[in-house]
Amino acid sequence: MLQVDNLSGGYGREPIVRNVSFHVEKGEVLGILGPNGSGKSTLLKIISGILPKQSGRVMIAGKPSGAYTQKQFAQQVAVLPQLHAHAFSHSVKDTVALGRYPYQTGIFSSWSEFDEQAVQEAMNYTGVTRYENTAIELLSGGEQQRVFVAQALAQQAPILLLDEPTNHLDIAHQQQLLDTIRNQARQKGITVISVFHDINLAALYCDRLLLLKNGEVASIGVPQDVVLEQEIHHVYNARVKTQPHPEMPKPQMTLLPNLQEKVELFTVRKADITIKEDHVLLQSSQSLKTISSAVHNAGLGWYKTFVNRGVRADYMIDDVQRENTDYLRTLGYHLTDTVAMMTAVSPEHVEVEEYEGEFGSIVVAVTAGVGNAVDVSKSWQREDIPYIGTINTWVFINGELSEEAFVQALITATEAKVKALQDEQVKDPESGTVATGTSTDSMLIASTQQGEYLPYAGPITQLGKLIGKGVYDCTVRAIHSYRLAVGEHG
Amino acid sequence: MNKTALAYVVSIATLLVAIWLGVSIGTVKIPIETLWNQSDATASNILWKIRMPRVLLAGIVGASLAISGAAFQGLLKNPLADPYTLGVSSGASVGAVITLFFGISLPVLGAFTLPVFSMMGAAITMFLVIGFARMVDRSMKMETIILTGIIFGSFLGSVLSLMIALTQEELRQIVGWLLGSVSMRGWNYILMVLPFFIIGTFMLWLNRRELNALLFGEERAHHLGVNVKQRKLMILLGGSVLTGSAVAVSGTIGFVGLVVPHMTRMLWGSDHRHVLPLSLCNGASLLIICDLVARTIISPAELPVGVITAFIGAPVFAYIFYKQRRKGAM
C-alpha cells in the first residue's frame, strides 16, 4: 500500500532522515518510534509532502507520491496531527466536513449526498455527533482530538498518518482514540502509520514497529522483536526491563531508575517471625519481592507483611477473599502491603528455621496440616469437594534472585516438600498411596533483592541446597507437630 | 429560519436601508420615488449625478475593505490583520501623495492622475512585498508575510511622513486625502474601481473553502488537500487588488477592514463561505452610513469619512464584543 525506498530529507541541507526504507501492507498498523530528534515526525512530514525529500521515493498505491495532485493525494492519504490551539472557531460539523475538501470541485458548492453521509458516518463512529453544532474550542482536548479523527476519517483515504495523536490526552482518551483507529484499520482495511512517543502504547496497538535512531532505521519488525531491553537501551540510552502484557501477546517495558538514594541494607531473620493468637506473622522493614499462591495478593509483587492465618477445620465461607480482607483490616494490616494464606493448623505448630549459606541465609517457615493429603497422580479418581488442606511453605531469601531463580526456588521447595511427605509416609486416604501434598497447599518465595546476585536456585546450587534442606526439615518437623496435636502417631 | 439565512436577510436589508438613507438624506431631501419617477428634474439630477454615485462608491470601498480584511485575517490566522497589514495601502497612499505633492496632472488622465498613480503605487508595492516574502522564505509562512508587510508599510509610511513634513500649501489636501473620503467622485470612479472589485472579490470567493481549511494552519490545509502555495498567493493577490483599488479612489479609510469581519464572525460564526459575502454586505452598509454622517453632521461642511468610521464603528464593535463575551461567560 505504501512503500518508502531509501528516503532522505529534512529541513535544511543536512538530511534529518537518512536512507529509510520500509513498506506497509493494506490494513496494517505501523508505529514509528525513536528518541527526541531521531526524525520520527520529519519522516512523517516527508511522506505527507510537508517537507521536501532529497533522495529516495515514496510509492502510494503503486504510484510515486509526486504523481498525485494535492487533492488526489488527500484522497489517498489523511493525516491526523498533534492537538493544538486555533485562533478562530468552527463548529464541529464544519470541521469534520472539511475532510471532504479533496472531493469538492467547481466554483459553486458541490456538496453531495455522499459527502454528507461520509461526514455523518465519521461523526457517529467517533461519537461527536452530539456536539455537531458546538464550537470546537469549547470542547475538551480529548473531544477536540476526536473531532480531528472524524475529520481524517471523513477524508476516506486508504492511508492514515498520525503524528503522536495521543499527546496531551489523558489515558482514557488515549485508549479511546487508539481503539477507534485500530478498529477502523481492521474493519475498513485502512493502512495506518503513526509516530509514537510512548513505546508501550505503540507495542500494544501496532502490528509492526519501526525504531529510528539519528534518522536511520535501527530496527523494524513485530513488537516482540523491536521492544527488546538491549535494543531500547541502545537507541534511547535508558535502562529498561520488558515484560509481557497481562492480556495480550505484546511486550511492555518499564523504566529502571538510576537513583542516588542510599539503599538501607536489611535481612530477614528467624526472630522476625512471630506467632500471634491466630496467625503466624512476619513484618519486614522493607518490601520483599514475592511470588506466591496466597489467598490475598497472590502472584508476583512487593510486600512487607506476611500472614499465615489459622482457621477452624470447618471454615467454609462463600466469599473467602472478602472475609479474609475484612480479617486483615480488623488486625490493622495494610491491605496492599500484605500477603496472607490460610491453614487449618493452629499457629503454634509452625516450624521456623534459619539456614546459613555462603551467599547469606534463608528463613523457612512451614505449617503442615496433612489431614486432607492427596496423591496427585491418583487425584483424578477422586470426586470429593476439596477441604482446606494445607501445607503452607514460606521461604525468605537474603539475596538477589533472577526471575529464573524464583521459579526454580518454587520447584526446589516443592520437591523437598514431596520428599518430606514420602519419608513421613503421609498417605492419601482414598487411594492409600503416599501423598504428594494436600488439597490446597500454598507456597511463597520472597527475597530481599539485596546482597549477592543468585541467578539460579536448582537443587545443586548454593541456594537450592539450602532451600531443599530447609523445606524438607521444616516440613518433617511440622508434620510431627501436627500429628502430636491431633493425637496421631506415625 | 436558520441562523445563516437570517444573517443574509439582516445584512441585505441593512444594506438596502443604508442605500435608501444615503440617497435621500442631505441638504436637499430626496424622496425615494425619484428613483423611478423623473418628474422632479432637480431631485432626479441630485440623486443620479451626486448622491447615487457617492453612495455606490462608499458601498464598493466599504465592501472591498471588509472582504479583503476578512480574507487576510483568515489567511494570516491573526485577528489583528486588516487590509493594510500587507503594506499595499501605504504604496497606494505614496502614489496618491506624490501626485498631490508634485501637483502632477498627466494630460490624458487629467483628474484621474491621482487614482491611477495610486493604483500603480499599490501594484508595485504588492509585487515587491510578495516577491520579497517569497525570496525570504519560499513557502511564504504567515509570519514572513506579516513581517514583510510591516517592513514595507513602515518604510512607505516614513516616505509619506517625509512628504507631509516638506509640504506647505498642499498639506490640507494631503491630510484630507489620507483620512479618506468618497465625496465628489462621480460615476467614472465607480467604473474605474468596479473591475478590480469584481476580480478581487471573485478571487477571494473562489478560495472560501481553502480559507476555512487554512484556519487550521497551513500544514493541516495541506493535509486536507489544499494547494497551499497557490491558494495563498491567490488570496494575497485578490485582497491586494481590492485594497489597492479601494485606497486609490478613497484614501486610507480605517477600521472597516479590521472590524467588519470581526463583527460578522462574532454574530454568525467563522465559516468563510458566509463570512466573505456577509462582510462584503456589512462593510458596504457601514461605509454608506458613515459617509452619510460625515456629510450631514456639520453640514454644510463635511468631515473626512475616515474620522467617522472609527467614531461610529468602535462603539458598535464594543457593544457586540461585550454582548458576545457576556454570553460566552454565562
Side-chain angles (χ1 to χ4, degrees), chain B residues 33-63:
Chain B
E33 308 90 80
T34 319
L35 269 175
W36 53 86
N37 182 356
Q38 318 237 319
S39 58
D40 184 345
T42 329
S44 192
N45 242 337
I46 294 175
L47 188 143
W48 288 110
K49 293 257 167 65
I50 301 169
R51 297 262 174 92
M52 194 52 103
R54 179 168 186 154
V55 165
L56 289 186
L57 189 65
I60 290 174
V61 168

PDB file of all heavy atoms in Angstrom, chain B residues 33-63:
ATOM      1  N   GLU B  33     -39.166  57.962  -4.284  1.00  0.00           N
ATOM      2  CA  GLU B  33     -39.847  57.767  -5.583  1.00  0.00           C
ATOM      3  C   GLU B  33     -39.024  58.312  -6.742  1.00  0.00           C
ATOM      4  O   GLU B  33     -39.167  57.869  -7.885  1.00  0.00           O
ATOM      5  CB  GLU B  33     -41.204  58.490  -5.664  1.00  0.00           C
ATOM      6  CG  GLU B  33     -42.178  58.229  -4.560  1.00  0.00           C
ATOM      7  CD  GLU B  33     -41.998  59.208  -3.426  1.00  0.00           C
ATOM      8  OE1 GLU B  33     -42.472  60.347  -3.492  1.00  0.00           O
ATOM      9  OE2 GLU B  33     -41.326  58.787  -2.450  1.00  0.00           O
ATOM     10  N   THR B  34     -38.137  59.265  -6.459  1.00  0.00           N
ATOM     11  CA  THR B  34     -37.333  59.859  -7.511  1.00  0.00           C
ATOM     12  C   THR B  34     -36.577  58.796  -8.308  1.00  0.00           C
ATOM     13  O   THR B  34     -36.244  58.986  -9.466  1.00  0.00           O
ATOM     14  CB  THR B  34     -36.343  60.872  -6.906  1.00  0.00           C
ATOM     15  OG1 THR B  34     -37.028  61.609  -5.904  1.00  0.00           O
ATOM     16  CG2 THR B  34     -35.816  61.837  -7.950  1.00  0.00           C
ATOM     17  N   LEU B  35     -36.331  57.685  -7.667  1.00  0.00           N
ATOM     18  CA  LEU B  35     -35.624  56.592  -8.349  1.00  0.00           C
ATOM     19  C   LEU B  35     -36.336  56.170  -9.629  1.00  0.00           C
ATOM     20  O   LEU B  35     -35.714  55.847 -10.623  1.00  0.00           O
ATOM     21  CB  LEU B  35     -35.522  55.380  -7.418  1.00  0.00           C
ATOM     22  CG  LEU B  35     -34.286  55.268  -6.527  1.00  0.00           C
ATOM     23  CD1 LEU B  35     -34.423  54.093  -5.604  1.00  0.00           C
ATOM     24  CD2 LEU B  35     -33.016  55.154  -7.356  1.00  0.00           C
ATOM     25  N   TRP B  36     -37.632  56.090  -9.539  1.00  0.00           N
ATOM     26  CA  TRP B  36     -38.369  55.673 -10.750  1.00  0.00           C
ATOM     27  C   TRP B  36     -39.243  56.772 -11.327  1.00  0.00           C
ATOM     28  O   TRP B  36     -39.664  56.708 -12.438  1.00  0.00           O
ATOM     29  CB  TRP B  36     -39.190  54.414 -10.459  1.00  0.00           C
ATOM     30  CG  TRP B  36     -40.101  54.527  -9.249  1.00  0.00           C
ATOM     31  CD1 TRP B  36     -41.357  55.020  -9.215  1.00  0.00           C
ATOM     32  CD2 TRP B  36     -39.783  54.154  -7.927  1.00  0.00           C
ATOM     33  NE1 TRP B  36     -41.853  54.986  -7.956  1.00  0.00           N
ATOM     34  CE2 TRP B  36     -40.896  54.443  -7.125  1.00  0.00           C
ATOM     35  CE3 TRP B  36     -38.625  53.589  -7.313  1.00  0.00           C
ATOM     36  CZ2 TRP B  36     -40.930  54.209  -5.752  1.00  0.00           C
ATOM     37  CZ3 TRP B  36     -38.686  53.351  -5.959  1.00  0.00           C
ATOM     38  CH2 TRP B  36     -39.822  53.655  -5.179  1.00  0.00           C
ATOM     39  N   ASN B  37     -39.482  57.841 -10.566  1.00  0.00           N
ATOM     40  CA  ASN B  37     -40.318  58.946 -11.037  1.00  0.00           C
ATOM     41  C   ASN B  37     -39.433  60.151 -11.335  1.00  0.00           C
ATOM     42  O   ASN B  37     -38.873  60.762 -10.436  1.00  0.00           O
ATOM     43  CB  ASN B  37     -41.356  59.265  -9.948  1.00  0.00           C
ATOM     44  CG  ASN B  37     -42.291  60.373 -10.375  1.00  0.00           C
ATOM     45  OD1 ASN B  37     -42.113  60.953 -11.461  1.00  0.00           O
ATOM     46  ND2 ASN B  37     -43.264  60.671  -9.543  1.00  0.00           N
ATOM     47  N   GLN B  38     -39.278  60.466 -12.623  1.00  0.00           N
ATOM     48  CA  GLN B  38     -38.325  61.508 -13.026  1.00  0.00           C
ATOM     49  C   GLN B  38     -38.976  62.882 -13.170  1.00  0.00           C
ATOM     50  O   GLN B  38     -38.388  63.790 -13.757  1.00  0.00           O
ATOM     51  CB  GLN B  38     -37.678  61.128 -14.362  1.00  0.00           C
ATOM     52  CG  GLN B  38     -37.292  59.652 -14.454  1.00  0.00           C
ATOM     53  CD  GLN B  38     -35.833  59.441 -14.743  1.00  0.00           C
ATOM     54  OE1 GLN B  38     -35.258  60.156 -15.554  1.00  0.00           O
ATOM     55  NE2 GLN B  38     -35.235  58.471 -14.090  1.00  0.00           N
ATOM     56  N   SER B  39     -40.189  63.048 -12.637  1.00  0.00           N
ATOM     57  CA  SER B  39     -40.912  64.311 -12.861  1.00  0.00           C
ATOM     58  C   SER B  39     -40.186  65.508 -12.250  1.00  0.00           C
ATOM     59  O   SER B  39     -40.157  66.584 -12.819  1.00  0.00           O
ATOM     60  CB  SER B  39     -42.336  64.197 -12.305  1.00  0.00           C
ATOM     61  OG  SER B  39     -42.261  63.875 -10.930  1.00  0.00           O
ATOM     62  N   ASP B  40     -39.544  65.303 -11.088  1.00  0.00           N
ATOM     63  CA  ASP B  40     -38.794  66.415 -10.487  1.00  0.00           C
ATOM     64  C   ASP B  40     -37.362  66.364 -10.998  1.00  0.00           C
ATOM     65  O   ASP B  40     -36.538  65.564 -10.542  1.00  0.00           O
ATOM     66  CB  ASP B  40     -38.846  66.267  -8.965  1.00  0.00           C
ATOM     67  CG  ASP B  40     -38.171  67.447  -8.270  1.00  0.00           C
ATOM     68  OD1 ASP B  40     -37.441  68.197  -8.954  1.00  0.00           O
ATOM     69  OD2 ASP B  40     -38.372  67.597  -7.049  1.00  0.00           O
ATOM     70  N   ALA B  41     -37.050  67.183 -11.960  1.00  0.00           N
ATOM     71  CA  ALA B  41     -35.764  67.143 -12.655  1.00  0.00           C
ATOM     72  C   ALA B  41     -34.596  67.428 -11.712  1.00  0.00           C
ATOM     73  O   ALA B  41     -33.561  66.748 -11.759  1.00  0.00           O
ATOM     74  CB  ALA B  41     -35.752  68.104 -13.830  1.00  0.00           C
ATOM     75  N   THR B  42     -34.749  68.422 -10.830  1.00  0.00           N
ATOM     76  CA  THR B  42     -33.658  68.777  -9.914  1.00  0.00           C
ATOM     77  C   THR B  42     -33.350  67.609  -8.982  1.00  0.00           C
ATOM     78  O   THR B  42     -32.195  67.202  -8.835  1.00  0.00           O
ATOM     79  CB  THR B  42     -34.057  69.998  -9.039  1.00  0.00           C
ATOM     80  OG1 THR B  42     -34.935  70.834  -9.791  1.00  0.00           O
ATOM     81  CG2 THR B  42     -32.842  70.742  -8.573  1.00  0.00           C
ATOM     82  N   ALA B  43     -34.425  67.109  -8.374  1.00  0.00           N
ATOM     83  CA  ALA B  43     -34.248  65.985  -7.444  1.00  0.00           C
ATOM     84  C   ALA B  43     -33.607  64.796  -8.155  1.00  0.00           C
ATOM     85  O   ALA B  43     -32.656  64.180  -7.666  1.00  0.00           O
ATOM     86  CB  ALA B  43     -35.599  65.574  -6.862  1.00  0.00           C
ATOM     87  N   SER B  44     -34.105  64.520  -9.353  1.00  0.00           N
ATOM     88  CA  SER B  44     -33.578  63.411 -10.141  1.00  0.00           C
ATOM     89  C   SER B  44     -32.094  63.613 -10.447  1.00  0.00           C
ATOM     90  O   SER B  44     -31.283  62.686 -10.348  1.00  0.00           O
ATOM     91  CB  SER B  44     -34.378  63.305 -11.438  1.00  0.00           C
ATOM     92  OG  SER B  44     -34.093  62.107 -12.088  1.00  0.00           O
ATOM     93  N   ASN B  45     -31.748  64.834 -10.779  1.00  0.00           N
ATOM     94  CA  ASN B  45     -30.361  65.187 -11.064  1.00  0.00           C
ATOM     95  C   ASN B  45     -29.458  64.949  -9.861  1.00  0.00           C
ATOM     96  O   ASN B  45     -28.405  64.316  -9.969  1.00  0.00           O
ATOM     97  CB  ASN B  45     -30.285  66.676 -11.442  1.00  0.00           C
ATOM     98  CG  ASN B  45     -29.777  66.816 -12.869  1.00  0.00           C
ATOM     99  OD1 ASN B  45     -29.121  65.913 -13.383  1.00  0.00           O
ATOM    100  ND2 ASN B  45     -30.115  67.931 -13.497  1.00  0.00           N
ATOM    101  N   ILE B  46     -29.891  65.482  -8.698  1.00  0.00           N
ATOM    102  CA  ILE B  46     -29.095  65.316  -7.478  1.00  0.00           C
ATOM    103  C   ILE B  46     -28.926  63.826  -7.177  1.00  0.00           C
ATOM    104  O   ILE B  46     -27.829  63.346  -6.895  1.00  0.00           O
ATOM    105  CB  ILE B  46     -29.772  66.036  -6.275  1.00  0.00           C
ATOM    106  CG1 ILE B  46     -29.771  67.538  -6.516  1.00  0.00           C
ATOM    107  CG2 ILE B  46     -29.043  65.697  -4.981  1.00  0.00           C
ATOM    108  CD1 ILE B  46     -30.509  68.335  -5.462  1.00  0.00           C
ATOM    109  N   LEU B  47     -30.032  63.094  -7.287  1.00  0.00           N
ATOM    110  CA  LEU B  47     -29.973  61.664  -6.972  1.00  0.00           C
ATOM    111  C   LEU B  47     -29.024  60.924  -7.896  1.00  0.00           C
ATOM    112  O   LEU B  47     -28.129  60.215  -7.435  1.00  0.00           O
ATOM    113  CB  LEU B  47     -31.369  61.043  -7.071  1.00  0.00           C
ATOM    114  CG  LEU B  47     -31.463  59.592  -6.585  1.00  0.00           C
ATOM    115  CD1 LEU B  47     -32.786  59.352  -5.872  1.00  0.00           C
ATOM    116  CD2 LEU B  47     -31.298  58.578  -7.712  1.00  0.00           C
ATOM    117  N   TRP B  48     -29.172  61.072  -9.199  1.00  0.00           N
ATOM    118  CA  TRP B  48     -28.380  60.252 -10.134  1.00  0.00           C
ATOM    119  C   TRP B  48     -26.965  60.774 -10.359  1.00  0.00           C
ATOM    120  O   TRP B  48     -26.057  59.991 -10.611  1.00  0.00           O
ATOM    121  CB  TRP B  48     -29.124  60.119 -11.466  1.00  0.00           C
ATOM    122  CG  TRP B  48     -30.322  59.222 -11.320  1.00  0.00           C
ATOM    123  CD1 TRP B  48     -31.625  59.616 -11.360  1.00  0.00           C
ATOM    124  CD2 TRP B  48     -30.310  57.818 -11.085  1.00  0.00           C
ATOM    125  NE1 TRP B  48     -32.445  58.542 -11.152  1.00  0.00           N
ATOM    126  CE2 TRP B  48     -31.661  57.409 -10.983  1.00  0.00           C
ATOM    127  CE3 TRP B  48     -29.306  56.865 -10.941  1.00  0.00           C
ATOM    128  CZ2 TRP B  48     -32.023  56.103 -10.745  1.00  0.00           C
ATOM    129  CZ3 TRP B  48     -29.677  55.555 -10.714  1.00  0.00           C
ATOM    130  CH2 TRP B  48     -31.022  55.180 -10.610  1.00  0.00           C
ATOM    131  N   LYS B  49     -26.802  62.116 -10.273  1.00  0.00           N
ATOM    132  CA  LYS B  49     -25.469  62.666 -10.583  1.00  0.00           C
ATOM    133  C   LYS B  49     -24.585  62.727  -9.350  1.00  0.00           C
ATOM    134  O   LYS B  49     -23.369  62.616  -9.441  1.00  0.00           O
ATOM    135  CB  LYS B  49     -25.618  64.085 -11.181  1.00  0.00           C
ATOM    136  CG  LYS B  49     -26.295  64.098 -12.548  1.00  0.00           C
ATOM    137  CD  LYS B  49     -25.247  64.283 -13.637  1.00  0.00           C
ATOM    138  CE  LYS B  49     -25.802  63.993 -15.027  1.00  0.00           C
ATOM    139  NZ  LYS B  49     -26.860  64.955 -15.445  1.00  0.00           N
ATOM    140  N   ILE B  50     -25.203  62.994  -8.167  1.00  0.00           N
ATOM    141  CA  ILE B  50     -24.381  63.215  -6.981  1.00  0.00           C
ATOM    142  C   ILE B  50     -24.525  62.096  -5.942  1.00  0.00           C
ATOM    143  O   ILE B  50     -23.560  61.405  -5.607  1.00  0.00           O
ATOM    144  CB  ILE B  50     -24.698  64.582  -6.324  1.00  0.00           C
ATOM    145  CG1 ILE B  50     -24.430  65.696  -7.350  1.00  0.00           C
ATOM    146  CG2 ILE B  50     -23.836  64.783  -5.079  1.00  0.00           C
ATOM    147  CD1 ILE B  50     -24.936  67.036  -6.946  1.00  0.00           C
ATOM    148  N   ARG B  51     -25.759  61.929  -5.466  1.00  0.00           N
ATOM    149  CA  ARG B  51     -25.934  61.014  -4.324  1.00  0.00           C
ATOM    150  C   ARG B  51     -25.650  59.552  -4.682  1.00  0.00           C
ATOM    151  O   ARG B  51     -24.916  58.861  -3.969  1.00  0.00           O
ATOM    152  CB  ARG B  51     -27.363  61.119  -3.788  1.00  0.00           C
ATOM    153  CG  ARG B  51     -27.736  62.468  -3.251  1.00  0.00           C
ATOM    154  CD  ARG B  51     -27.617  62.550  -1.747  1.00  0.00           C
ATOM    155  NE  ARG B  51     -27.854  63.916  -1.304  1.00  0.00           N
ATOM    156  CZ  ARG B  51     -29.038  64.378  -0.943  1.00  0.00           C
ATOM    157  NH1 ARG B  51     -30.075  63.584  -0.951  1.00  0.00           N
ATOM    158  NH2 ARG B  51     -29.172  65.625  -0.575  1.00  0.00           N
ATOM    159  N   MET B  52     -26.255  59.091  -5.774  1.00  0.00           N
ATOM    160  CA  MET B  52     -26.133  57.663  -6.095  1.00  0.00           C
ATOM    161  C   MET B  52     -24.679  57.237  -6.318  1.00  0.00           C
ATOM    162  O   MET B  52     -24.230  56.253  -5.735  1.00  0.00           O
ATOM    163  CB  MET B  52     -27.003  57.307  -7.304  1.00  0.00           C
ATOM    164  CG  MET B  52     -27.194  55.814  -7.500  1.00  0.00           C
ATOM    165  SD  MET B  52     -27.763  54.969  -6.006  1.00  0.00           S
ATOM    166  CE  MET B  52     -29.472  54.736  -6.384  1.00  0.00           C
ATOM    167  N   PRO B  53     -23.913  57.954  -7.170  1.00  0.00           N
ATOM    168  CA  PRO B  53     -22.516  57.515  -7.328  1.00  0.00           C
ATOM    169  C   PRO B  53     -21.750  57.561  -6.005  1.00  0.00           C
ATOM    170  O   PRO B  53     -20.925  56.691  -5.734  1.00  0.00           O
ATOM    171  CB  PRO B  53     -21.935  58.517  -8.333  1.00  0.00           C
ATOM    172  CG  PRO B  53     -22.910  59.620  -8.437  1.00  0.00           C
ATOM    173  CD  PRO B  53     -24.250  59.077  -8.051  1.00  0.00           C
ATOM    174  N   ARG B  54     -22.053  58.548  -5.176  1.00  0.00           N
ATOM    175  CA  ARG B  54     -21.343  58.654  -3.909  1.00  0.00           C
ATOM    176  C   ARG B  54     -21.665  57.455  -2.995  1.00  0.00           C
ATOM    177  O   ARG B  54     -20.776  56.832  -2.415  1.00  0.00           O
ATOM    178  CB  ARG B  54     -21.755  59.957  -3.214  1.00  0.00           C
ATOM    179  CG  ARG B  54     -21.077  60.125  -1.891  1.00  0.00           C
ATOM    180  CD  ARG B  54     -21.252  61.515  -1.349  1.00  0.00           C
ATOM    181  NE  ARG B  54     -20.435  61.593  -0.138  1.00  0.00           N
ATOM    182  CZ  ARG B  54     -19.948  62.715   0.329  1.00  0.00           C
ATOM    183  NH1 ARG B  54     -20.178  63.873  -0.280  1.00  0.00           N
ATOM    184  NH2 ARG B  54     -19.226  62.695   1.426  1.00  0.00           N
ATOM    185  N   VAL B  55     -22.959  57.150  -2.923  1.00  0.00           N
ATOM    186  CA  VAL B  55     -23.375  56.018  -2.092  1.00  0.00           C
ATOM    187  C   VAL B  55     -22.778  54.709  -2.623  1.00  0.00           C
ATOM    188  O   VAL B  55     -22.251  53.884  -1.870  1.00  0.00           O
ATOM    189  CB  VAL B  55     -24.921  55.936  -2.042  1.00  0.00           C
ATOM    190  CG1 VAL B  55     -25.380  54.582  -1.513  1.00  0.00           C
ATOM    191  CG2 VAL B  55     -25.469  57.054  -1.183  1.00  0.00           C
ATOM    192  N   LEU B  56     -22.845  54.549  -3.950  1.00  0.00           N
ATOM    193  CA  LEU B  56     -22.312  53.307  -4.518  1.00  0.00           C
ATOM    194  C   LEU B  56     -20.803  53.195  -4.315  1.00  0.00           C
ATOM    195  O   LEU B  56     -20.287  52.113  -3.992  1.00  0.00           O
ATOM    196  CB  LEU B  56     -22.646  53.216  -6.010  1.00  0.00           C
ATOM    197  CG  LEU B  56     -24.121  52.962  -6.328  1.00  0.00           C
ATOM    198  CD1 LEU B  56     -24.310  52.748  -7.832  1.00  0.00           C
ATOM    199  CD2 LEU B  56     -24.674  51.769  -5.560  1.00  0.00           C
ATOM    200  N   LEU B  57     -20.102  54.316  -4.476  1.00  0.00           N
ATOM    201  CA  LEU B  57     -18.650  54.269  -4.279  1.00  0.00           C
ATOM    202  C   LEU B  57     -18.333  53.910  -2.822  1.00  0.00           C
ATOM    203  O   LEU B  57     -17.474  53.062  -2.551  1.00  0.00           O
ATOM    204  CB  LEU B  57     -18.002  55.601  -4.655  1.00  0.00           C
ATOM    205  CG  LEU B  57     -16.471  55.540  -4.674  1.00  0.00           C
ATOM    206  CD1 LEU B  57     -15.959  54.606  -5.765  1.00  0.00           C
ATOM    207  CD2 LEU B  57     -15.870  56.933  -4.844  1.00  0.00           C
ATOM    208  N   ALA B  58     -19.062  54.582  -1.915  1.00  0.00           N
ATOM    209  CA  ALA B  58     -18.860  54.252  -0.497  1.00  0.00           C
ATOM    210  C   ALA B  58     -19.115  52.775  -0.281  1.00  0.00           C
ATOM    211  O   ALA B  58     -18.352  52.075   0.412  1.00  0.00           O
ATOM    212  CB  ALA B  58     -19.797  55.079   0.381  1.00  0.00           C
ATOM    213  N   GLY B  59     -20.169  52.266  -0.898  1.00  0.00           N
ATOM    214  CA  GLY B  59     -20.505  50.841  -0.757  1.00  0.00           C
ATOM    215  C   GLY B  59     -19.397  49.955  -1.281  1.00  0.00           C
ATOM    216  O   GLY B  59     -18.973  49.003  -0.603  1.00  0.00           O
ATOM    217  N   ILE B  60     -18.906  50.266  -2.471  1.00  0.00           N
ATOM    218  CA  ILE B  60     -17.864  49.416  -3.063  1.00  0.00           C
ATOM    219  C   ILE B  60     -16.585  49.450  -2.233  1.00  0.00           C
ATOM    220  O   ILE B  60     -15.964  48.418  -1.964  1.00  0.00           O
ATOM    221  CB  ILE B  60     -17.581  49.851  -4.518  1.00  0.00           C
ATOM    222  CG1 ILE B  60     -18.792  49.495  -5.392  1.00  0.00           C
ATOM    223  CG2 ILE B  60     -16.328  49.180  -5.056  1.00  0.00           C
ATOM    224  CD1 ILE B  60     -18.694  50.006  -6.815  1.00  0.00           C
ATOM    225  N   VAL B  61     -16.205  50.669  -1.802  1.00  0.00           N
ATOM    226  CA  VAL B  61     -14.985  50.791  -1.000  1.00  0.00           C
ATOM    227  C   VAL B  61     -15.145  50.019   0.315  1.00  0.00           C
ATOM    228  O   VAL B  61     -14.269  49.232   0.708  1.00  0.00           O
ATOM    229  CB  VAL B  61     -14.649  52.282  -0.729  1.00  0.00           C
ATOM    230  CG1 VAL B  61     -13.574  52.405   0.336  1.00  0.00           C
ATOM    231  CG2 VAL B  61     -14.197  52.946  -2.011  1.00  0.00           C
ATOM    232  N   GLY B  62     -16.280  50.243   0.973  1.00  0.00           N
ATOM    233  CA  GLY B  62     -16.527  49.532   2.242  1.00  0.00           C
ATOM    234  C   GLY B  62     -16.516  48.030   2.044  1.00  0.00           C
ATOM    235  O   GLY B  62     -15.904  47.284   2.820  1.00  0.00           O
ATOM    236  N   ALA B  63     -17.162  47.570   0.966  1.00  0.00           N
ATOM    237  CA  ALA B  63     -17.220  46.139   0.673  1.00  0.00           C
ATOM    238  C   ALA B  63     -15.823  45.590   0.408  1.00  0.00           C
ATOM    239  O   ALA B  63     -15.440  44.546   0.941  1.00  0.00           O
ATOM    240  CB  ALA B  63     -18.121  45.900  -0.528  1.00  0.00           C
TER     241      ALA B  63
END
